[in-house]
Structure formats: C-alpha cells, structure tokens
Amino acid sequence: MGRIDTLLSKEAIDERIQTLAAEIERDFEGETLTVIIVLKGSFIFAADLVRAINVPLRCDFLGLRSYEGKESTGVVQITHDLTRNIEGEHVLIIEDIVDTGLTMEYLLDNLKTRKPASLKVASLLHKPARTKIEVPIDYLGFTIDDVFVIGYGLDFDQKFRNLPFIGVMTPDAD
Ligand code: IMP
C-alpha cells in the first residue's frame, strides 16, 4: 500500500481554520449565513470551520460525486440535494479541495440559479497546477502542489477520510 507522509499537520490545519473563521466572521457580521457543506470530502473541515465561526448560521448538505479512485470522471453528479430554498440568503460553500475547478464551476452555476443574495466559497485546499477552469475561492486554507492527498475528510477509494491530518500516499517502490 505504501507510505503516508504528513503534508499538513492537524495543528497547522487548526491554526489556519481560526484565521479563516475570523475573516468569515468579519465579512458576515450582522448577517445570517447559510453554509453548504459539500459531501463527502468536506465534512471534517466543515465541522471544524463552522464551530469556529461566531455568526448565526444554518447548515445544509449537498452531495457531489466526480471522482473514481484518483481520477475525475469529468461528470459531476448531485447525489444529495439541499433540503431548503436558499433564495435571498447569504451562502457560503464549504469544499475540501479545488483541483481542476470543474466541480466548483458546476456547483456555482447550479447554486446561482437558486438566487442567493450572495455566494462565496471556502476551500481547505487548492491545487493550481491542475486548474482547467478558474473559479473564485474567497477563503482558502492552503495552496498545495500537484499531489494526491488523503485524510481530514479526503479519500482514496472512499478510505482514509478518518486520518486527522492531510497526507500524501507514496507507493512502495518495487
Ligand atoms: P475538481 O472538480 O477537479 O476541482 O475536483 C474536486 C473534487 O475532486 C474534490 O471535491 C475532491 O472530492 C476530489 N479531489 C481532487 N483532488 C483530490 C485529492 O488530491 N485527494 C482526494 N480527493 C481529491
């Protein structure tokens, strides 16, 4: 299976989340926020981020699927839709990683048709080397190199989401 090296420690992630939460709090002061948690990969990041944001907020969940193993299938599917109408609300999407940007572009286009008052994006990670479509990221945790990462919600074949840090899998040399 190979080795898992730590790319971002739990401590580094925790510290960055406090900074992002402070920025979000400042930007949404006096507002009620609707947070859209993109399943499955962002569930751990979102759980930590929302607990650090001290403005009134609602959480809803949107399930998306675009990857098999390490490759994007190129087709984004909604596996679970929002349970509420977001028209007129201040919406913050919480995503684990923006890689090619295809998923986020699909999501932004889809959510804009539902007429939110504002629509912002928070992503824990961004891999600019793989960008196919530039998408706005209003609150970014970390920029990373073109490596496949696992842990802290991110999976490889649905496994490793439970690692408390972000790691990189290095295959065994044979
Ligand atoms: P994009 O559409 O290429 O931007 O891919 C976005 C989605 O691909 C993310 O929400 C992740 O679920 C998945 N993804 C992209 N890169 C990685 C990675 O390095 N590890 C695990 N999942 C990834």
Side-chain angles (χ1 to χ4, degrees), residues 128-142:
R130 300 220 341 136
T131 300
K132 285 191 182 153
I133 296 176
E134 296 274 357
V135 290
I137 305 176
D138 303 283
Y139 309 98
L140 173 63
F142 302 91

Side-chain angles (χ1 to χ4, degrees), residues 85-91 114-118:
N85 181 356
I86 56 166
E87 187 169 344
E89 298 186 358
H90 294 286
V91 171
R114 308 186 197 202
K115 302 189 173 62
S118 67

Side-chain angles (χ1 to χ4, degrees), residues 9-140:
S9 66
K10 183 180 182 309
E11 292 70 28
I13 297 168
D14 287 348
E15 198 183 315
R16 188 74 189 117
I17 284 178
Q18 296 309 317
T19 307
L20 292 180
E23 284 174 28
I24 294 167
E25 254 175 54
R26 190 197 56 213
D27 293 352
F28 291 93
E29 203 187 332
E31 308 285 359
T32 297
L33 193 55
T34 298
V35 163
I36 296 183
I37 298 165
V38 184
L39 299 173
K40 302 176 188 172
S42 74
F43 78 109
I44 293 181
F45 172 46
D48 284 344
L49 183 63
V50 296
R51 283 182 292 175
I53 300 172
N54 193 20
V55 300
L57 63 80
R58 308 180 180 96
C59 294
D60 206 344
F61 300 87
L62 195 133
L64 286 183
R65 188 165 168 278
S66 63
Y67 264 59
E68 288 287 353
K70 287 188 180 180
E71 291 306 318
S72 172
T73 59
V75 180
V76 184
Q77 282 175 288
I78 293 189
T79 56
H80 172 88
D81 207 349
L82 301 179
T83 56
R84 297 177 55 260
N85 181 356
I86 56 166
E87 187 169 344
E89 298 186 358
H90 294 286
V91 171
L92 176 67
I93 300 171
I94 303 188
E95 178 60 299
D96 53 354
I97 182 164
V98 175
D99 185 27
T100 61
L102 292 169
T103 303
M104 188 53 72
E105 188 191 54
Y106 171 86
L107 195 53
L108 287 168
D109 284 351
N110 183 298
L111 294 179
K112 275 178 201 157
T113 66
R114 308 186 197 202
K115 302 189 173 62
S118 67
L119 185 57
K120 301 272 190 218
V121 175
S123 180
L124 178 64
L125 304 173
H126 182 214
K127 263 193 234 176
R130 300 220 341 136
T131 300
K132 285 191 182 153
I133 296 176
E134 296 274 357
V135 290
I137 305 176
D138 303 283
Y139 309 98
L140 173 63

